[in-house]
Amino acid sequence: MNYSVAELMAVVLSRRLREGDVMVTGTNAGITCSAALVARACGRPRVRTIIGAFGTVDPTVELVPASGADQSFLPGRVVTDLISTLGDQVRGLADVICLGGLQVDRDGRVNLAVVGDYSRPDLRGPGTIGVSLIARLERTFLYFTEHDPRTFVERVDFVGAQGLRPGGRGLEVIVTPMAVLGPVEDGSRIDLVSIHAGFDFEQVQARTGFALDPSRAVVTEPPSEEELAALRGHPYGMSLATMTLG
Amino acid sequence: MNYSVAELMAVVLSRRLREGDVMVTGTNAGITCSAALVARACGRPRVRTIIGAFGTVDPTVELVPASGADQSFLPGRVVTDLISTLGDQVRGLADVICLGGLQVDRDGRVNLAVVGDYSRPDLRGPGTIGVSLIARLERTFLYFTEHDPRTFVERVDFVGAQGLRPGGRGLEVIVTPMAVLGPVEDGSRIDLVSIHAGFDFEQVQARTGFALDPSRAVVTEPPSEEELAALRGHPYGMSLATMTLG
Amino acid sequence: MGKIARRMELEACVAELVEPDSVVGLGGLHFHNMPMALVRELIRQEVPVGRLVPSIDGSIDADLLIGAGLVREVQVAYLGLETYGLAPRFRAAAEAGTVRVRDCEEAGFGLALAAGAAGLPFAALPAGFMPADEGLPSVPAVNRDDYREIENPFTGERHMLIQAINPDVALIHCQAIDAHGNCGFFGGSFLDVELAKSARICIVQVEREYEELPSACRRRLPGYAVDAYCVVEGGAHPGSSHGVYRHDDVHLRRYAQLARSDHGFERYRGEMIGVSEAEYAAASRLDDRIEALEAGPVG
Amino acid sequence: MGKIARRMELEACVAELVEPDSVVGLGGLHFHNMPMALVRELIRQEVPVGRLVPSIDGSIDADLLIGAGLVREVQVAYLGLETYGLAPRFRAAAEAGTVRVRDCEEAGFGLALAAGAAGLPFAALPAGFMPADEGLPSVPAVNRDDYREIENPFTGERHMLIQAINPDVALIHCQAIDAHGNCGFFGGSFLDVELAKSARICIVQVEREYEELPSACRRRLPGYAVDAYCVVEGGAHPGSSHGVYRHDDVHLRRYAQLARSDHGFERYRGEMIGVSEAEYAAASRLDDRIEALEAGPVG
């Protein structure tokens, strides 16, 4: 069965969602909202999505806008507001936060602030957004539309958040167009989880700035018929079939 | 011209309201809402009222309910919520808070918590409500439906709030069915401001638990025609004509 | 963790979810939107409360529990019957020393509850808020449990903090709930959303279930903050349920009168609490009263 | 003190109310509900900004001011063009060291703004929030202005506080205002109400005046928190004004492209800013664009 990279990424994330999860998302949420869609259709009907900018729970949008603060995200089952949604995340009423990043390192640290020296950076990024939230939420999902060696580094230049916490808690999964990364069993570091069909270990290693363990190079389980049907049964899930990444 | 005690009390308070004032009120707000009505009609059109329980600004109620949290108080020009109204008061976006009390002393302290020893009180009152708000707002208006010697005491048994602050700020006026009290010129203590027509100094002193200065016993200026017309031109203002106090 | 709201019977909500000697928060304000059915059920099951936290302005809800001898300690900004006078059983118990009182001031109480709801351990009080001079008792001097002084690290000045309020259980009344446990308030919501989130366990009693929350809802509590709910029509009586019925003046006035004496309170309790809400409904003529008190839509 | 909102011209709002070297807060989120007309006017009048505080997620609003060389320091949780990439002028200035960056994390930023709005001097951060180990730079280690450590007086544990945000001036965009200065947001209001209240002076630019706020308003800012307002149709362009028009993808894309280079930015500035909003309207074909981008009602 044919599927797009975006569809595969959504399905990978969907499998990490557990019944009752509350997932916070925002910018470029096509993939994350679709992941919730698949999870709900595949036996976890109580998975919930919050759009952070509005506090919209389960937005009723037809097509997911790129901007996390687009007005299309306002209608939903319940809408609260930005500040109470921040509070809900700190309080631990949400389970999963979905983010991107400038850099992620093998210790699971996430950086969106600077590349290079902090006081005179080579690249100044947008900020440290979400750091205390990553530190408070039980689980973090990271997703990237490119698998870039500048993103996956040995050691971040700035600690936006310690994504991976003691005992392997915190950062749970990183999905890219080439592979799935995540904490190893004892939670001590980030390594390969699987490689998407069509790529091999050398290709992934070449685009990853820290050493991966080749023995972990299994193939990402492709979307099942049920998963694809769930995706394609909804307008925004359907849009992933033709989504261009990166 | 005839007028009721409640009408006089509303008019006394209305004269203290300045253009642009934001006044916070709640329980038994018939008199305070009417005071705002009179002020608006008499040259201060931008006087605003907030019902604290809801954050209702300028409620559009026909008859003022006794309870400060009655649903009739919900419609208004703007409705926010309880917690942001608390914040607005602390922030100093409101000017005046209207309250009652169990005890007020000559130093302008207000007590709603206990009479007698704190740990084993003779009378346990409702609490210390509003204390940090009195301390934050520029001006406090107190109003009582009885002029009771147990209310006006030499020294409170518990400091709910230091109503009168250095320089005579804070507690601005106390109105009862018999008299008006307030800080003396240098702000050092509470004394008489005026006595309502029909009462004399001895009567007021007999019902006040701290010494008043007889030289201050002027007559409360009665409501003007304009003030009474403003009151009686609105359903809730009109209700004061027949309101029973105490 | 996001919660999944379970539909349960009133009795089970109390029996299964309210541990003896818990910290219990009560929603509503004055005699509006009080979780009265849950309160009556606590009395029927004689569940002792370690600390009662009536949300900012407590009323007959807290007074009943105190009168029933179930409350060891009560944390109050205001506890009274508002337009019906003082809270008679609270007054009697506090004067007799049979209930411990933790006095908070109103702004601090609100800030403490908001901090609890937002997962923060404490909140800053407004600058300048300090114990009274001259050794007179005052908040915060009489409440060392909840108020502490620090040096403001930005200015070096003395500054007071208040501890967050995080009850074990919050009892909330609202008008509507949808199939996903999302709750809707037709009128005031006071500090109910904050209280619901601040508690470890949130129990909601609701007037009616809806497929989707009606547009009459002025504020909403997301279902991910709700552990369990029970449907109890008239559950806020003798208080109001905003947008559904007004408070029962006759009933409240009678309570205020009876509860002034021990035997009067026992008479009220004996007549009204019964063994179930059905008995309460019969004793209070609930259906008639609710109909007579029908509230128009809010606003 | 309760404020009385004054109706003023856009030019006068900036000339009379924004002091040079002030702390200036910008409302909106990403490229939605940005106070762009006020931002362009700051550039026209060349008002230097001591510290710029774009509300939680800054965008082209902050980037323009930085590109114009008016900003000494910027306090950010996020400053970027979201779906259009990094903020090019912020990036260039930060890399060249010509703007000082005060990094805050998102939750702390929100808490600091809420504390500022509520008149509190600081806010508690969540427990466990501490500088990163191993000496790698992190918030709060790199921002000693806003973050300080205390001993939690309730537990004895180390705990971080964040200083309240209280700008001198807040610039807010909204859709509606009534005759009493009460403001209404048809769509998202983000942290705009908090920002408005946190500032000493609050200036609002609004799409349209109404006798009474329309029911389409999802959130309201009371007029007692507003110092002055100006009516500028299309004032949030090239961003969206929720419920009125959507963001201008073509314009934003072009800005993101041009602003990558100094001369590209100067070209944009020369073409677009002009001497008045009328010139901006002509250069950006504002009327056509607003019409083409008309947004349906929200929700």
Side-chain angles (χ1 to χ4, degrees):
Chain A
M1 192 174 279
N2 281 324
Y3 52 86
S4 73
V5 175
E7 287 180 322
L8 179 61
M9 288 172 69
V11 166
V12 164
L13 292 182
S14 81
R15 294 172 184 152
R16 299 291 180 149
L17 289 169
R18 308 174 193 158
E19 177 62 335
D21 270 353
V22 173
M23 176 183 75
V24 183
T25 186
T27 300
N28 288 322
I31 287 176
T32 50
C33 285
S34 298
L37 194 69
V38 174
R40 278 194 288 265
C42 297
R44 287 144 291 158
R46 298 280 190 162
V47 164
R48 291 155 288 186
T49 305
I50 300 182
I51 305 302
F54 301 110
T56 305
V57 183
D58 294 340
T60 48
V61 65
E62 283 286 290
L63 286 171
V64 175
S67 172
D70 192 285
Q71 71 169 57
S72 332
F73 265 145
L74 258 166
R77 213 183 294 281
V78 178
V79 183
T80 63
D81 55 66
L82 193 155
I83 198 88
S84 37
T85 299
L86 273 181
D88 292 350
Q89 293 172 68
V90 174
R91 180 77 181 110
L93 289 169
D95 301 88
V96 177
I97 186 164
C98 296
L99 288 170
L102 273 180
Q103 290 184 328
V104 185
D105 70 17
R106 63 182 279 135
D107 292 326
R109 302 186 193 96
V110 184
N111 170 26
L112 261 150
V114 298
V115 174
D117 178 48
Y118 178 73
S119 55
R120 203 60 181 268
D122 299 325
L123 170 64
R124 172 67 220 195
T128 67
I129 182 167
V131 37
S132 51
L133 300 178
I134 291 187
R136 291 291 293 191
L137 269 75
E138 274 304 300
R139 290 140 62 208
T140 299
F141 294 179
L142 297 179
Y143 60 111
F144 296 89
T145 53
E146 282 182 87
H147 194 119
D148 189 324
R150 292 170 301 181
T151 304
F152 299 100
V153 297
E154 188 65 35
R155 194 178 157 94
V156 291
D157 293 317
F158 182 93
V159 182
Q162 182 61 50
L164 188 57
R165 301 203 294 275
R169 293 180 314 119
L171 179 51
E172 175 173 327
V173 64
I174 304 168
V175 62
T176 78
M178 292 179 89
V180 183
L181 308 181
V184 297
E185 289 64 22
D186 68 0
S188 61
R189 62 181 164 81
I190 301 297
D191 206 326
L192 259 184
V193 171
S194 66
I195 296 176
H196 303 338
F199 299 101
D200 61 27
F201 179 80
E202 284 65 34
Q203 287 173 301
V204 177
Q205 181 62 78
R207 299 198 62 78
T208 305
F210 54 84
L212 301 173
D213 176 355
S215 75
R216 303 174 63 90
V218 296
V219 177
T220 306
E221 191 188 328
S224 68
E225 270 186 53
E226 186 193 10
E227 287 165 335
L228 280 182
L231 262 183
R232 294 172 183 175
H234 188 285
Y236 66 66
M238 198 183 295
S239 72
L240 264 52
T242 53
M243 183 181 278
T244 330
L245 300 180
Chain B
M1 194 174 277
N2 281 323
Y3 52 87
S4 73
V5 175
E7 286 180 321
L8 179 63
M9 289 173 67
V11 166
V12 164
L13 292 181
S14 80
R15 293 172 184 153
R16 300 291 181 148
L17 289 168
R18 308 173 194 158
E19 176 62 337
D21 270 353
V22 174
M23 176 183 75
V24 183
T25 187
T27 300
N28 288 323
I31 287 176
T32 50
C33 286
S34 298
L37 194 69
V38 175
R40 278 194 290 264
C42 298
R44 287 144 290 158
R46 297 280 190 161
V47 165
R48 291 154 289 185
T49 305
I50 301 182
I51 305 302
F54 301 110
T56 305
V57 182
D58 294 340
T60 49
V61 65
E62 283 287 290
L63 286 170
V64 175
S67 172
D70 192 285
Q71 72 168 56
S72 330
F73 264 146
L74 258 166
R77 215 183 292 282
V78 178
V79 182
T80 63
D81 56 66
L82 193 156
I83 199 87
S84 37
T85 298
L86 272 182
D88 292 350
Q89 293 172 69
V90 175
R91 179 79 180 109
L93 290 170
D95 300 270
V96 177
I97 186 163
C98 296
L99 286 171
L102 273 181
Q103 290 184 328
V104 185
D105 70 18
R106 62 184 279 134
D107 291 327
R109 302 187 192 97
V110 185
N111 170 27
L112 262 151
V114 297
V115 174
D117 178 49
Y118 178 74
S119 56
R120 201 60 180 270
D122 300 323
L123 169 64
R124 173 65 220 197
T128 67
I129 180 169
V131 38
S132 51
L133 300 177
I134 290 188
R136 292 291 292 190
L137 269 76
E138 274 304 301
R139 289 140 63 208
T140 299
F141 294 178
L142 297 180
Y143 61 111
F144 295 89
T145 54
E146 283 182 88
H147 194 118
D148 189 324
R150 291 170 303 180
T151 305
F152 298 100
V153 296
E154 188 65 37
R155 194 177 156 94
V156 292
D157 293 316
F158 183 92
V159 182
Q162 182 61 50
L164 188 56
R165 302 203 294 273
R169 292 181 315 117
L171 179 51
E172 175 173 326
V173 64
I174 303 169
V175 62
T176 78
M178 292 178 90
V180 183
L181 308 181
V184 297
E185 289 63 23
D186 67 0
S188 60
R189 63 182 163 81
I190 300 297
D191 207 326
L192 260 184
V193 172
S194 66
I195 296 178
H196 303 338
F199 298 101
D200 61 25
F201 178 79
E202 284 64 34
Q203 286 174 304
V204 177
Q205 180 64 77
R207 299 197 62 77
T208 305
F210 53 84
L212 300 174
D213 177 355
S215 76
R216 303 173 64 88
V218 297
V219 177
T220 307
E221 191 188 328
S224 69
E225 273 188 51
E226 186 192 10
E227 287 165 335
L228 279 183
L231 261 182
R232 294 174 182 174
H234 189 286
Y236 65 67
M238 198 183 295
S239 71
L240 264 52
T242 53
M243 183 180 277
T244 330
L245 300 180
Chain C
M1 228 172 56
K3 298 171 173 181
I4 298 180
R6 274 195 298 159
R7 190 189 200 284
M8 294 170 72
E9 296 302 314
L10 171 67
E11 295 75 9
C13 282
V14 170
E16 294 178 27
L17 297 175
V18 188
E19 297 282 325
D21 303 312
S22 301
V23 179
V24 176
L26 303 176
L29 191 89
H30 292 313
F31 38 79
H32 304 281
N33 288 358
M34 294 180 296
M36 290 304 296
L38 284 161
V39 163
R40 285 186 287 263
E41 193 57 31
L42 282 175
I43 295 173
R44 286 182 201 113
Q45 298 187 23
E46 293 176 30
V47 183
V49 173
R51 174 163 39 115
L52 188 67
V53 188
S55 173
I56 218 162
D57 291 350
S59 184
I60 184 179
D61 48 351
D63 203 54
L64 270 176
L65 287 166
I66 292 169
L70 293 171
V71 179
R72 191 168 64 221
E73 183 179 46
V74 60
Q75 183 172 2
V76 291
Y78 174 100
L79 206 180
L81 300 185
E82 205 200 12
T83 53
Y84 301 99
L86 299 176
R89 290 294 94 198
F90 168 54
R91 188 184 159 181
E95 291 168 12
T98 56
V99 69
R100 184 169 181 255
V101 185
R102 257 160 96 157
D103 273 299
C104 293
E105 32 67 69
E106 198 174 44
F109 190 98
L111 291 166
L113 205 56
L120 305 172
F122 53 79
L125 285 161
F129 175 67
M130 280 290 154
D133 300 333
E134 302 178 50
L136 283 172
S138 70
V139 170
V142 299
N143 181 349
R144 298 288 302 157
D145 291 323
D146 296 309
Y147 294 86
R148 295 281 164 85
E149 190 179 319
I150 61 160
E151 187 184 279
N152 176 336
F154 298 97
T155 63
E157 287 165 2
R158 295 163 62 204
H159 199 92
M160 297 297 306
L161 305 180
I162 188 164
Q163 186 173 211
I165 296 175
N166 286 111
D168 294 308
V169 185
L171 309 181
I172 304 288
H173 174 86
C174 71
Q175 285 72 44
I177 198 163
D178 73 11
H180 297 257
N182 299 304
C183 298
F185 297 84
F186 289 173
S189 51
F190 312 119
L191 292 176
D192 287 355
V193 169
E194 289 78 7
L195 176 62
K197 292 177 179 176
S198 71
R200 188 164 52 78
I201 296 172
C202 170
I203 307 175
V204 172
Q205 61 166 55
V206 61
E207 294 285 346
R208 206 177 129 188
E209 291 174 291
Y210 294 80
E211 196 50 46
E212 294 194 356
L213 288 182
S215 61
C217 296
R218 298 180 70 101
R219 195 156 175 221
R220 291 162 169 86
L221 168 68
Y224 59 71
V226 177
D227 291 272
Y229 65 97
C230 52
V231 182
V232 192
E233 253 186 279
H237 186 269
S240 77
S241 180
H242 277 182
V244 185
Y245 44 89
R246 295 184 178 265
H247 61 278
D248 190 336
D249 182 67
V250 176
H251 189 120
L252 288 168
R253 200 175 292 277
R254 181 160 176 267
Y255 175 80
Q257 184 61 42
L258 282 175
R260 285 187 194 174
S261 69
D262 292 355
H263 70 270
F265 177 79
E266 287 310 324
R267 184 173 152 203
Y268 177 90
R269 181 182 175 171
E271 281 176 13
M272 288 294 166
I273 303 295
V275 301
S276 68
E277 277 299 281
E279 287 201 14
Y280 176 76
S284 65
R285 298 189 304 112
L286 186 63
D287 293 348
D288 292 352
R289 298 302 295 152
I290 295 300
E291 200 184 321
L293 296 164
E294 188 181 342
V298 171
Chain D
M1 230 171 54
K3 298 171 173 182
I4 298 180
R6 274 195 298 159
R7 190 190 199 284
M8 295 169 72
E9 295 302 313
L10 171 68
E11 295 75 9
C13 283
V14 170
E16 294 178 25
L17 297 175
V18 188
E19 297 281 324
D21 302 314
S22 301
V23 179
V24 176
L26 303 175
L29 192 90
H30 291 313
F31 38 79
H32 305 282
N33 289 357
M34 293 179 296
M36 290 304 295
L38 284 161
V39 162
R40 285 186 288 263
E41 192 59 32
L42 282 176
I43 295 173
R44 287 182 202 114
Q45 298 187 23
E46 293 177 30
V47 183
V49 173
R51 175 164 38 116
L52 188 67
V53 188
S55 174
I56 220 164
D57 290 350
S59 184
I60 183 178
D61 48 352
D63 203 55
L64 270 176
L65 286 166
I66 293 168
L70 293 171
V71 180
R72 191 168 65 222
E73 183 178 46
V74 61
Q75 183 172 0
V76 290
Y78 174 100
L79 207 179
L81 301 185
E82 205 201 12
T83 52
Y84 302 98
L86 299 176
R89 291 294 93 196
F90 167 56
R91 186 184 162 182
E95 290 168 11
T98 56
V99 69
R100 184 169 180 256
V101 186
R102 256 159 97 156
D103 273 300
C104 294
E105 30 68 67
E106 198 175 41
F109 189 97
L111 291 166
L113 206 54
L120 305 172
F122 53 79
L125 286 161
F129 174 68
M130 280 288 154
D133 301 332
E134 303 179 50
L136 283 172
S138 69
V139 171
V142 299
N143 181 349
R144 297 288 302 159
D145 291 322
D146 296 308
Y147 294 85
R148 295 281 164 86
E149 190 179 319
I150 61 160
E151 187 184 279
N152 176 337
F154 298 98
T155 62
E157 288 166 1
R158 295 163 61 203
H159 199 93
M160 297 299 305
L161 304 181
I162 187 163
Q163 185 172 213
I165 296 174
N166 286 112
D168 294 307
V169 187
L171 309 180
I172 304 288
H173 174 86
C174 71
Q175 285 73 45
I177 197 163
D178 73 10
H180 298 257
N182 299 304
C183 298
F185 297 85
F186 290 173
S189 52
F190 312 120
L191 292 176
D192 287 355
V193 169
E194 288 79 7
L195 177 63
K197 292 177 179 176
S198 72
R200 189 164 50 79
I201 296 171
C202 170
I203 307 175
V204 172
Q205 61 166 55
V206 61
E207 293 286 345
R208 207 178 127 187
E209 292 173 291
Y210 295 80
E211 196 51 45
E212 293 193 357
L213 288 182
S215 61
C217 296
R218 298 180 70 101
R219 196 157 175 223
R220 292 162 170 88
L221 168 67
Y224 60 71
V226 177
D227 291 272
Y229 64 97
C230 52
V231 182
V232 192
E233 253 186 282
H237 186 269
S240 76
S241 180
H242 278 182
V244 185
Y245 44 88
R246 293 183 180 267
H247 61 276
D248 190 336
D249 182 68
V250 176
H251 189 120
L252 287 168
R253 199 176 293 277
R254 181 159 177 268
Y255 175 81
Q257 185 60 42
L258 282 174
R260 283 187 196 173
S261 69
D262 293 355
H263 69 273
F265 177 79
E266 287 309 325
R267 185 173 152 203
Y268 177 90
R269 180 183 176 173
E271 281 176 14
M272 288 295 165
I273 304 294
V275 299
S276 68
E277 277 299 282
E279 286 200 16
Y280 175 75
S284 65
R285 299 188 305 112
L286 186 63
D287 293 348
D288 293 353
R289 299 303 294 151
I290 295 301
E291 199 186 321
L293 296 164
E294 188 182 342
V298 170

